[in-house]
Amino acid sequence: MKGWIYKISHRDEATGSNNFPSHCYIGQTRVTIEDRWNQHRNACLKYKASEDSRKRGKHADLYEVMSIIRINNFICEPIEEFESEDEYELATVLKHAEARYIDQYDSINSGWNAKRAARSPVRNPNEESLYQIAKENNIAYNSLRNRIKNLNETEDEAIHHLKQKGTELKINYQYKRQSFPTINQLAESKIHNPNKLSKKTIEQRIRKLRKQNKLTENEDHSNRRLNVILTDDIFVNSKQSKISVATPDGDKVTGTKKHVHSVLKQRYPELVPETYQTVIARSNKSNWSLEQAFGLDYPPDLKSVKKLIEEEGYVWADNEPPNFVAQDGKPVVMERTKEIFVSQS
């Protein structure tokens, strides 16, 4: 079996010159260079630019520049050829060689590679023995493989960790004198969840209350369980439940979240988010208070500098106070000049 490391670089179709000599893309293939180049060309023709990093894909930088400068102004050429009778060995050699050439050409920082060489897609025959080890130790094979391959633990370290994990207390949820081993079972109970709240909503509310230490928890070591005692407010219909939000004027606005949003939006149009869904998304996060969710208090990322601004004479850099409605990012404090930038950017 054969494999190749290849390089894609610019070559002007008319003059034959490389106008971007410091830029290239390094890849590996077990089909011919010509076939792999045709795959890249076809993928480039179908490529659509996206600002979403999850949709861009690992070839985004390459395909964007090929689209702009035109495919015919690029060439694909082999750098090194490898041969082996063992498929796994070939895949491993190609992976290391690709990483070596990516470093040599610096094609991530000064080129069109998005990341380092991918792991081999070929199954290692030795993993059969790893499966047997997991079975003998009564631990999950995928967990064992992940700790050894991705966390770089030895077999003994991974086995010890997974066995220790097996002794941890399992969470058990108690509500109205009944126990539920999972939130999903709790959500499906018509008696305990009459408002038909989703599993995700119940899970978010429990997580938030646990983080705020507002739920009682009892350890039952004899049964290896941690009993979490749930309260009625977890299952209240969010559309009907009433809240109370403190305002900058010193009073409180009480009512459903939708009603409070409507009232506060009229009173503080520059502070309160335009859409009600923004408030809901924020208030579902465990580290956001209601006042922060409605834009009436510093958001979590800026909470650390509130005292500096209000009590210690610091000012916002360039006289640009943060927009609590859309602010995102950690602030940067300039101690010498007593200035605060709302974000690194």
Side-chain angles (χ1 to χ4, degrees), residues 83-289:
E83 188 172 351
S84 175
E85 295 181 358
D86 182 86
E87 187 179 12
Y88 179 79
E89 181 182 347
L90 177 61
T92 302
V93 169
L94 285 171
K95 181 190 74 172
H96 290 303
E98 182 183 8
R100 186 174 71 252
Y101 279 110
I102 285 175
D103 288 340
Q104 179 179 326
Y105 286 95
D106 196 21
S107 59
I108 293 179
N109 298 319
S110 301
W112 302 310
N113 282 87
K115 57 184 180 180
R116 298 190 62 80
R119 289 182 174 272
S120 166
V122 181
R123 184 180 178 87
N124 185 347
N126 293 332
E127 290 184 5
E128 296 297 338
S129 61
L130 201 61
Y131 177 83
Q132 188 62 33
I133 290 172
K135 188 175 180 180
E136 291 172 357
N137 286 276
N138 195 29
I139 55 179
Y141 161 72
N142 286 334
S143 299
L144 177 62
R145 184 179 184 278
N146 176 64
R147 302 200 73 85
I148 292 174
K149 301 293 183 182
N150 298 333
L151 301 183
N152 297 319
E153 292 183 350
T154 65
E155 283 185 12
D156 290 340
E157 289 172 339
I159 292 170
H160 175 74
H161 178 91
L162 293 171
K163 283 188 173 182
Q164 285 292 107
K165 189 175 181 180
T167 63
E168 294 176 359
L169 299 178
K170 294 183 178 180
I171 296 180
N172 182 66
Y173 303 97
Q174 293 187 348
Y175 182 56
K176 291 188 174 180
R177 299 190 180 187
Q178 190 161 338
S179 296
F180 297 88
T182 67
I183 295 177
N184 192 49
Q185 292 182 19
L186 180 58
E188 291 176 350
S189 172
K190 295 180 180 179
I191 297 175
H192 301 84
N193 183 24
N195 292 314
K196 299 180 180 179
L197 300 179
S198 68
K199 170 183 173 289
K200 183 178 180 180
T201 298
I202 296 173
E203 195 171 37
Q204 287 174 337
R205 292 181 178 181
I206 292 175
R207 188 186 304 119
K208 184 174 183 177
L209 291 173
R210 288 190 70 195
K211 192 167 184 177
Q212 296 173 346
N213 295 318
K214 292 184 178 180
L215 294 180
T216 302
E217 299 182 4
N218 299 319
E219 294 184 359
D220 181 359
H221 290 282
S222 59
N223 293 311
R224 290 174 53 199
R225 291 192 310 187
L226 175 65
N227 296 316
V228 179
I229 316 301
L230 306 184
T231 55
D232 291 337
D233 55 338
I234 292 174
F235 303 93
V236 173
N237 190 333
S238 59
K239 295 180 180 179
Q240 298 175 353
S241 60
K242 290 187 177 182
I243 61 171
S244 185
V245 178
T247 75
D249 295 325
D251 62 335
K252 289 187 177 182
V253 176
T254 302
T256 63
K257 282 185 180 177
K258 201 158 192 176
H259 169 73
V260 171
H261 176 258
S262 177
V263 172
L264 293 177
K265 181 60 186 169
Q266 291 182 349
R267 288 177 60 175
Y268 309 100
E270 300 299 322
L271 299 176
V272 179
E274 183 68 30
T275 64
Y276 171 63
Q277 290 304 321
T278 300
V279 175
I280 294 299
R282 289 176 170 182
S283 61
N284 283 337
K285 297 178 181 179
S286 60
N287 61 329
W288 284 72
S289 67

Side-chain angles (χ1 to χ4, degrees), residues 17-122:
S17 61
N18 183 351
N19 298 335
F20 306 93
S22 63
H23 285 63
C24 69
Y25 174 87
I26 301 297
Q28 61 165 286
T29 179
R30 278 180 276 167
V31 300
T32 66
I33 297 294
E34 182 180 357
D35 288 341
R36 184 65 183 120
W37 177 230
N38 286 332
Q39 290 172 356
H40 277 302
R41 289 169 61 93
N42 292 333
C44 179
L45 292 172
K46 298 175 184 177
Y47 174 76
K48 292 183 179 180
S50 172
E51 294 182 359
D52 188 335
S53 60
R54 293 174 297 179
K55 296 179 181 178
R56 283 171 59 83
K58 66 178 183 178
H59 298 113
D61 292 345
L62 173 66
Y63 294 160
E64 282 182 8
V65 74
M66 286 174 65
S67 299
I68 295 170
I69 305 177
R70 292 191 304 113
I71 296 174
N72 290 344
N73 289 311
F74 289 83
I75 59 169
C76 182
E77 52 191 343
I79 300 178
E80 189 172 355
E81 179 180 328
F82 299 91
E83 188 172 351
S84 175
E85 295 181 358
D86 182 86
E87 187 179 12
Y88 179 79
E89 181 182 347
L90 177 61
T92 302
V93 169
L94 285 171
K95 181 190 74 172
H96 290 303
E98 182 183 8
R100 186 174 71 252
Y101 279 110
I102 285 175
D103 288 340
Q104 179 179 326
Y105 286 95
D106 196 21
S107 59
I108 293 179
N109 298 319
S110 301
W112 302 310
N113 282 87
K115 57 184 180 180
R116 298 190 62 80
R119 289 182 174 272
S120 166
V122 181

